[in-house]
Amino acid sequence: MYPTVADALALPVVKEGRPRVVAGQDGLAKRVRWVHAAEVADIAHLLRGGELVLTTGIALPDDANGLTRYVDELADVGVAGIVVELLRHWSDRLPQAFVAAAERRGVPLVTLSEETRFVTVTEAIVGLIVDAQVAELRAAEQVHETFTALTVAGAEPAEVLREVARTSGLPVVLETLSHDVLAYDTAGANPTELLRNWARRSRSVHVTGRTSYDPDTGWLVTVVGARGNDWGRLVLLTPETPPHRHIVVAERAASALAVHRLVARDREGLERHAHRTLLTEILNNPGANLNARAAALGVPLEHRRLVGVAVRPRTSVSPAPAMATQEVLRDLAEATALAARRAQVAALVGVVDDTSVRVLLSLPPQAEVDNALRKLAKEVHSAAAATQRAVPVVLAVGTTVERVADVRRSMVEAAHVADAALRSASDRQYHRLDDVRLRGLLHLLAADERIAAFADRELGPLLARDASHGSRLVDTLRHFCANGGNKSAAASAAHMSRTAYYQQLSRIEQVLGVSLEEPESMLSLYVALLTLDVQDHHTTE
């Protein structure tokens, strides 16, 4: 923003005085904030730093201690340099103590061997300062306009960082408050070097205020967040003290990033709410005409192939507190919506209960449903794994239908398939009713009283025996059926000796009045056990 000492010395009005740098050559890049003509020695307490001091030396001391003290005091307040006219006090050279002190403190010390009008020098340098300030203000205005346009356009973080790098010419990194890199732009630098040991380097940089510069690391850091909810830091890597323009760039970029996050969060929240409302109406009132509302949400229902889908966390949420359940499902709903966009399928996505995320896919009439499901399933599993809780999920699919009136059936079927698939060890990308087989059918019929009566008729005496005697005959029977009637394998699975296990099987036959050697008896008991599992599962929900 400000001209340097070298810039000031290059002015024609200064060059007429035949300037000569006698000390502090390395300090010529210091910025000149103002010009101050002063003859008295005790001037330092009236300065603020960044001044180029002009003097004839007429009132300065001649002794070495006095000159050293004069330079030290000026250096302590941060003057940019000292210019001495060699005509009135010293005619051809400055005292060695004066020069030595300036060299030691790194203060540029310049002599003028010709008479120079200080007022003209002041006007010229102030003109440079004002021109630089105007240019800086114009640049800042351009920065404001640029980032305002990005904010209004809803630019993604990558676009914002690209503009930061272009405007400043510096590498920029967006990180979380836990120092994980979210996005970056190298501005042409080596990305490997930029990000090497990033978290460790970032943890060592502690800044004060919303925006500050750490000279030790060369990091200009701006906190990113809004509404009292800070969530990240924007870091510009600049080896030199950043000009005001770069600070404006960092702060405007941070604002654009914060607004983008707020807008994206609110937009997704409103979208999920609209989708949930529509899905609830489809489930509760399948005869309602919802075509126009669904089409307005970008999910046409007429003349489409419609598929109900349920996405359920494998870490069953029912034992967790209600708040945790909803948090998991909300995250999963956002991940599922993102997956649908990536798979390029139109879908209503929402949480309508405490168990799963419900989805209604709307596919073109000519679409290959299985191809669309494979793409969606791949994206759902990937997006769910990338959520904060990285929850593994079960994806279940209902029957494909073509009438809105049949959508509820497809969605209910998908939910039941998801219930059954939770107990399966299969690693299928998605499950259909024929994948979960008998267990899936029983889930579909779980509300039928005749199924409950069948299970009670088959297992009632055995359940009563366990309850009254504290035995575990039902578990013994479960191992027997699960192992296809292989007694040895069942005994091993039950961690019992064969003799003891065979005695338990005999007791079961006595209690139930059946022979376990008969295939139909074993099949009936196995179906009853599966029904019991399904009933227990629905009861816990």
Side-chain angles (χ1 to χ4, degrees):
M1 181 174 181
Y2 297 110
T4 64
V5 175
D7 294 332
L9 298 182
L11 289 169
V13 67
V14 178
K15 294 178 73 173
E16 289 176 1
R18 295 169 59 193
R20 177 169 171 261
V21 180
V22 298
Q25 183 79 33
D26 293 340
L28 293 179
K30 290 184 177 181
R31 299 287 175 177
V32 179
R33 187 185 58 80
W34 200 246
V35 185
H36 199 95
E39 299 297 347
V40 295
D42 59 340
I43 189 65
H45 69 284
L46 299 177
L47 305 179
R48 295 192 303 163
E51 293 89 355
L52 184 63
V53 178
L54 308 180
T55 181
T56 63
I58 194 171
L60 296 184
D62 287 309
D63 63 286
N65 290 338
L67 289 172
T68 300
R69 183 168 58 253
Y70 172 70
V71 173
D72 284 341
E73 290 176 352
L74 292 180
D76 288 342
V77 298
V79 297
I82 306 170
V83 178
V84 183
E85 184 188 81
L86 294 177
L87 289 174
R88 288 167 176 78
H89 191 174
W90 298 292
S91 58
D92 58 347
R93 70 184 64 179
L94 297 178
Q96 182 58 34
F98 199 171
V99 175
E103 185 67 33
R104 176 174 54 83
R105 296 302 301 267
V107 177
L109 181 59
V110 181
T111 61
L112 299 175
S113 57
E114 298 291 338
E115 186 175 30
T116 305
R117 296 179 65 186
F118 283 173
V119 64
T120 306
V121 173
T122 299
E123 288 175 349
I125 296 177
V126 169
L128 279 182
I129 294 172
V130 171
D131 288 345
Q133 290 175 329
V134 171
E136 191 74 14
L137 289 173
R138 287 174 179 166
E141 183 179 3
Q142 181 62 45
V143 168
H144 279 286
E145 292 176 355
T146 299
F147 284 98
T148 297
L150 288 174
T151 301
V152 172
E156 295 291 327
E159 297 177 70
V160 176
L161 266 60
R162 190 181 308 120
E163 183 59 31
V164 172
R166 188 194 68 79
T167 304
S168 66
L170 299 170
V172 58
V173 177
L174 175 63
E175 64 169 8
T176 66
L177 293 180
S178 58
H179 312 293
D180 296 321
V181 174
L182 296 174
Y184 65 91
D185 193 297
T186 66
N190 186 330
T192 303
E193 291 299 323
L194 174 65
L195 301 178
R196 190 186 304 278
N197 299 320
W198 179 266
R200 178 179 57 79
R201 289 159 55 201
S202 182
R203 279 192 290 269
S204 69
V205 179
H206 303 284
V207 296
T208 58
R210 302 290 297 180
T211 302
S212 56
Y213 178 67
D214 180 37
D216 293 335
T217 57
W219 282 23
L220 173 62
V221 181
T222 300
V223 177
V224 183
R227 299 179 183 174
N229 183 23
D230 297 333
W231 52 266
R233 302 200 308 178
L234 188 67
V235 181
L236 272 72
L237 283 76
T238 170
E240 298 181 355
T241 301
H244 179 69
R245 180 178 66 261
H246 289 174
I247 295 174
V248 172
V249 168
E251 292 179 341
R252 290 295 293 146
S255 297
L257 292 167
V259 171
H260 173 270
R261 185 178 175 108
L262 285 174
V263 171
R265 186 182 64 189
D266 290 344
R267 181 177 65 243
E268 291 302 313
L270 291 172
E271 183 179 289
R272 292 287 73 70
H273 175 75
H275 284 211
R276 176 176 61 82
T277 301
L278 199 54
L279 288 169
T280 300
E281 291 195 38
I282 289 173
L283 288 169
N284 295 337
N285 188 12
N289 186 357
L290 305 174
N291 296 335
R293 288 173 57 191
L297 290 173
V299 186
L301 301 181
E302 294 183 291
H303 310 298
R304 307 283 286 185
R305 307 191 77 178
L306 307 172
V307 185
V309 177
V311 183
R312 184 155 183 173
R314 268 204 180 274
T315 53
S316 179
V317 297
S318 54
M323 182 61 70
T325 296
Q326 288 303 309
E327 287 177 355
V328 169
L329 293 177
R330 275 198 300 269
D331 288 349
L332 188 54
E334 297 295 348
T336 303
L338 175 63
R341 288 194 293 271
R342 288 175 174 171
Q344 298 181 329
V345 294
L348 295 174
V349 181
V351 179
V352 299
D353 54 31
D354 291 332
T355 62
S356 61
V357 174
R358 300 296 186 92
V359 183
L360 175 59
L361 299 185
S362 173
L363 304 174
Q366 70 278 11
E368 289 288 341
V369 175
D370 285 337
N371 288 342
L373 288 173
R374 279 193 291 270
K375 288 174 61 178
L376 177 66
K378 179 181 177 181
E379 295 293 349
V380 167
H381 287 291
S382 176
T387 61
Q388 183 177 359
R389 297 170 180 82
V391 178
V393 298
V394 165
L395 198 75
V397 179
T399 302
T400 301
V401 299
E402 296 183 355
R403 298 192 311 142
V404 177
D406 297 328
V407 165
R408 183 182 185 278
R409 174 168 59 85
S410 180
M411 295 185 66
V412 169
E413 181 181 310
H416 286 309
V417 171
D419 289 342
L422 271 180
R423 295 176 177 271
S424 169
S426 171
D427 59 353
R428 291 175 182 271
Q429 287 285 84
Y430 63 92
H431 301 262
R432 289 185 179 276
L433 184 59
D434 54 358
D435 296 325
V436 292
R437 308 179 73 180
L438 178 59
R439 193 184 295 273
L441 175 64
L442 293 175
H443 271 279
L444 288 177
L445 301 175
D448 193 317
E449 293 182 357
R450 289 171 295 181
I451 294 295
F454 168 77
D456 184 63
R457 186 168 58 252
E458 291 290 320
L459 296 175
L462 204 59
L463 291 169
R465 171 76 183 213
D466 280 354
S468 61
H469 290 75
S471 56
R472 303 185 63 179
L473 296 178
V474 171
D475 288 342
T476 300
L477 178 61
R478 192 185 303 277
H479 287 299
F480 178 75
C481 293
N483 285 275
N486 186 321
K487 296 180 181 180
S488 297
S492 177
H495 304 291
M496 296 175 64
S497 67
R498 292 184 184 181
T499 301
Y501 188 78
Y502 294 167
Q503 291 176 349
Q504 294 284 319
L505 291 179
S506 296
R507 183 62 54 86
I508 291 172
E509 289 178 323
Q510 293 174 5
V511 171
L512 295 179
V514 299
S515 170
L516 295 180
E517 299 296 330
E518 297 178 2
E520 185 175 349
S521 293
M522 188 179 75
L523 176 61
S524 294
L525 290 172
Y526 185 50
V527 171
L529 286 170
L530 290 179
T531 301
L532 193 64
D533 290 342
V534 169
Q535 290 176 335
D536 289 343
H537 182 68
H538 282 268
T539 300
T540 60
E541 295 179 353

